[in-house]
Amino acid sequence: MLDGGTTVIADGLVASGAPDEVAGAVRAGTRVWILSHMALADHADLEARALAAASGVICPSEHAAAALEKRHGLENIVVAQPGVEAAETAKGSEPPHIIALAALLPNKSQTELVGALATLKDLPWTAALIGADQPDPAYAAEVRAAVERYKLQNRIMMTGELTGKPLEDQWRSADLSILISKSESFGLVVTESLAHGVPVVVRQGTGAVEALGNTGAGTALDLTQPNTLASAFRRWLTDQELQHRWRTAALQARSNLPGWDTTAATVLKALGSGEGAE
């Protein structure tokens, strides 16, 4: 049990597994704010209890806040959009290089991405799937099998998780970034892409659309229809004017991205004012 008189911010995935502890801490005088960045889908009842007991709730996007309001009836959620750090401008590649930065998980839809790229063998491009394969080895094996089945081993690199210079090398060579998760509370990869001057393709109906905003640096696709992703790739690969427009918009968007100081100021203001979901 935490001592009273303090304020803590608890990760939503942790706090949602301990609703009684959250409630007990609040009763003891501790102000407990929950950072809800991902739904606890398999235990919605525990999540609801924890969020209801908390002093306040912080979300990374209006999309995530609306989902919580719909799922649990919460209101007055504080939205603190994640910030982004300054980054080196991407130089691009010849042929165009497409990157998808996400752990290999079913929600991230890498098999869907590989299937779309497989229809574009007549065009020049390379791609990299950048992300950890340990969280779901079975799905990672599916992705590798898809790359091999379509004979794309010389086109698509599966790099595993990258950090430091190897990751920056991928950003430097990127011409297009892809985040087509089925669900996404915000999509840090989107703003990170824009920080590098790289346009982004995202899936409609997710928080990644909010991260992309009205920048014009890419597009949000309705992927409920077959061949939509492949058609969008083909258009981008064959339309130099579209490539130039998206790239120019991504470069312009860099100067308007919020820094982490803005995120921190929003959170601190909420904590200081007591605004929240009480």
Side-chain angles (χ1 to χ4, degrees), residues 1-277:
M1 179 74 67
L2 293 170
D3 293 332
T6 60
T7 299
V8 298
I9 300 177
D11 182 277
L13 296 179
V14 175
S16 293
D20 292 336
E21 287 75 8
V22 171
V26 172
R27 285 196 300 270
T30 298
R31 299 179 69 235
V32 180
W33 284 72
I34 294 178
L35 174 58
S36 180
H37 59 90
M38 184 182 298
L40 196 67
D42 295 334
H43 300 283
D45 56 332
L46 291 177
E47 179 183 63
R49 287 171 53 203
L51 294 174
S55 306
V57 179
I58 302 167
C59 278
S61 66
E62 297 289 350
H63 174 87
L68 279 186
E69 182 176 355
K70 180 178 180 181
R71 193 160 64 244
H72 300 306
L74 294 179
E75 297 180 355
N76 301 320
I77 298 168
V78 173
V79 174
Q81 187 179 104
V84 66
E85 296 181 359
E88 181 182 351
T89 305
K91 303 302 181 184
S93 300
E94 187 59 45
H97 187 56
I98 299 166
I99 66 171
L101 184 59
L104 300 183
L105 296 168
N107 178 57
K108 302 299 183 180
S109 302
Q110 283 94 349
T111 53
E112 187 174 355
L113 172 57
V114 172
L117 291 173
T119 68
L120 305 170
K121 291 182 180 180
D122 58 310
L123 297 173
W125 55 267
T126 62
L129 306 182
I130 306 165
D133 55 7
Q134 298 92 347
D136 192 331
Y139 181 72
E142 286 183 35
V143 178
R144 291 192 192 90
V147 172
E148 294 173 3
R149 183 169 65 253
Y150 292 120
K151 296 181 171 55
L152 292 172
Q153 297 95 318
N154 294 330
R155 295 274 201 122
I156 300 178
M157 295 179 287
M158 296 183 63
T159 69
E161 185 175 5
L162 296 180
T163 59
K165 186 178 183 300
L167 178 58
E168 284 306 312
D169 287 344
Q170 284 291 335
W171 279 120
R172 190 176 301 111
S173 64
D175 295 278
L176 185 67
S177 175
I178 311 298
L179 185 66
I180 53 168
S181 311
K182 296 180 178 70
S183 64
E184 199 72 61
S185 61
F186 179 70
L188 284 168
V189 171
V190 177
T191 48
E192 189 173 0
S193 300
L194 297 179
H196 286 87
V198 178
V200 197
V201 172
V202 301
R203 186 188 296 262
Q204 281 187 6
T206 71
V209 178
E210 187 173 332
L212 182 60
N214 296 318
T215 61
T219 188
L221 299 176
D222 177 2
L223 297 183
T224 60
Q225 302 301 315
N227 302 319
T228 298
L229 186 59
S231 296
F233 283 155
R234 182 170 292 278
R235 183 185 171 206
W236 178 76
L237 286 166
T238 58
D239 188 338
Q240 291 188 352
E241 193 280 330
L242 179 63
Q243 291 181 29
H244 176 74
R245 188 166 71 246
W246 282 7
R247 166 70 168 173
T248 299
L251 291 171
Q252 292 174 344
R254 300 178 77 211
S255 60
N256 297 319
L257 296 171
W260 285 105
D261 55 339
T262 301
T263 308
T266 300
V267 172
L268 289 173
K269 180 180 178 181
L271 297 183
S273 68
E275 178 184 354

